[in-house]
Amino acid sequence: MTIANQELRTIMTAHTKDDENARRDFLQLTAGAMGVVGAACVATPLVNSLNPAKDTLALATIEVDVSDLKPGEAKTEMWQGKPVFIKHRTPKEIEEAEDVDVATLRDKQPDSARVQKPEWLVVIGVCTHLGCIPVGNKPTDAHGDYDGWFCPCHGSHYDTSGRVRKGPAPKNLAVPPYEFVSDTVIKIG
Amino acid sequence: MGSGERAEFKNPVIGWIDERLPLFTLMQKEYGVFPTPRNFNYFWNFGAIAMFMLVAMIVSGIVLAMHYTADTELAFDSVERIMRDVNSGWLIRYIHMNGASFFFVAVYIHIFRGMYYGSYKKPRELLWILGVLIFLLMMATAFIGYVLPWGQMSLWGATVITNLFSAIPWVGDSIVTLLWGGFSVDNPTLTRFFALHYLLPFVIFAVVFLHVWALHITGSNNPLGIEPKGPQDTLPFHPYYTMKDSFGLVLFVILYALFIFYAPDSLGHPDNYIPADPLVTPPHIVPEWYFLPFYAILRAITFNMNIYFLAGIAGLFTLLVEFVWREKPKMIAAPYALPILVASLFLAALGFIGDQYPTLGIPFTAAEDALVSAKLGGVLAMFGAIVLLLVLPWLDTHPIRSARFRPLFKWSFLLLFVVFVFLGYIGSQPADAAFGPVPLSLLGLLCTGYYYGFFLVILPFLSRFEKGRNLPKSIHEAVLGKGA
Ligand code: HEM
Ligand code: FES
């Protein structure tokens, strides 16, 4: 028996109680950790199944013909389960939107960053406060203090560019991704 | 539960079963001879009443579920079919609809009782916490249930409340999408809500079981708030309290039946008889009455909290901990208290003014620099109001339980009750309403302030300084007079 072997033997037989406990702690910890990892692996697909399904995501683009909208008129289209407001703005409304000092706004965006063609404003018609639908698309609706939209739920006012000007909403009405397929057809999504 | 003494039963079948599974011994011990304080008043009926309501909700709900269809195209019509065509469908639905309200009536009175008589105090802290948990689960169940008939209030109530979660920094929007299963409250939301609405009542049942188990370990509190010292202070649960509970239950059910048969829709909102329309928001969204005080707290926070405001609040909170909660301050020497107080108030005011008047241009007070937006602040205040209930046993550490012997506690608590009811009124009004010349949102903020002040300042303060009246020596002496 070589020296090395003998040393090894002493090390291996020197199992004190402490070693034994440390070994058990280690086994318990690793087994427990494996259990947690396993549970997380099972939980992930279950929770993720609650996220939007593929067919829900597939409803992602629509085409809208806007040739029927005269200046000053607006209409509402459903996109991803949400209303999209499409507004044909009058020169006066465009001017109002452009003349605002951006620094005074809560959510600082110039009108030019929110439209592709000044006559056409396309925004998601969901109040950025708690998700109500603001009114203002019909001429008979309230338009708020800034000639745009008014949210009846907690009183947010939006201007002719769909920017929040007053009330609890933190952000401007969102602009969805869209493009002009032709002069009178807009593809949203 | 298995071991221990077994009761004797004359009936051989019962005896045979009991030897193998001591169910009857258990019932006999926990509901037959169970020693119960002899001085209960009618406030002690509401636990049994709440239990009855839970069973009524589960029974009526399961039958409704057999006729209901959880699909946005069909849900509203299936509920109308229950109302018109299903045999006794209207009755079953009205039992369920008004049952939710009466369940909350019972539970609110039950909670009020617990607070007034100090039932949350040692050794009943866990019992109390389990109760608050039941209350939370009930709120979740009722909120989700209200979505099922898919009327206008169903849809828009769900939209507004689920949108609250978007206030959570960074992950908020993903959480909302996860809750919805889409980009708005829609069919995937309805189907999962139905599954949860079926599940949660059984979770409640399980927590109620734990609640009652914990109750039978400590025994009941009573209007005097002193522990029974022997058999002369107690009565066997049966027949004394089975009778008293039954009597109270009958009165309660008569009132409940009056609503079911004569005013079934008076507690609901007419807009929920309009089918849900994702393009039109009702002009005035209100939750069910039992949520109104919490809804008012949610709406009371209309300002953003910036760095000055939060620093001021942190300073005030430190002072509160040092000089009100603690016997002796640990970190701050007394002479520094006043300067810190002044500085904190100044910072809070500066932050508030900076937020209200952005044109002043005070640095770091713009809305986008706010650390806690108004929306997040409202959500935190609302959930915080319930968290306060959870930690109540550690906020009120006064040795006397019952408000009868603590006049200062009694009146500040009754004022809290009035404030809570008034918050309910505020919650029912449009956000921009006014009460005479005073805007309601300001009153809402003041009431919310009292609610928080009661728990965080008044209770710890009274715990240390209220002297209280002398307690009677024992329950039977107090009830029967000296002669007993
Ligand atoms: C903790 C107990 C429960 C509470 C607080 C509760 C609350 C509610 C509420 C507030 C509604 C809306 C009522 C309306 O406006 O029509 C509702 C509807 C409903 N609940 Fe429950 N519920 C409970 C237990 C159950 C159970 C155990 C079931 C069985 C699966 C159930 C099945 C239903 C169904 C199918 C509806 C839709 C039909 C309707 O609107 O009348 N509920 N629930
Ligand atoms: S949801 Fe529009 S103001 Fe609150």
Side-chain angles (χ1 to χ4, degrees), chain A residues 24 31 51 55 57 107 173:
Chain A
R24 285 189 176 271
N51 267 320
D55 62 331
L57 291 167
D107 183 4
L173 293 180

Side-chain angles (χ1 to χ4, degrees), chain A residues 47 50-53 56-57 76 78 80-83 106 108 128-133 152-154, chain B residues 156 159-160 163-164 177-178 181-184 192 278-279 281-283 285 295 299 367-368 375 431:
Chain A
V47 173
L50 298 176
N51 267 320
T56 313
L57 291 167
T76 310
M78 284 299 264
Q80 290 193 338
K82 294 177 200 168
R106 180 174 304 166
K108 299 179 181 39
T128 57
H129 180 226
L130 292 176
C132 293
I133 311 295
C153 288
H154 317 92
Chain B
W156 291 103
T159 299
V160 167
N163 257 309
L164 291 176
T177 308
L178 184 70
F183 305 104
S184 58
R192 69 190 55 185
L279 290 180
T281 307
I285 299 178
Y295 190 56
R299 292 195 306 185
E368 67 261 25
K375 186 158 124 186

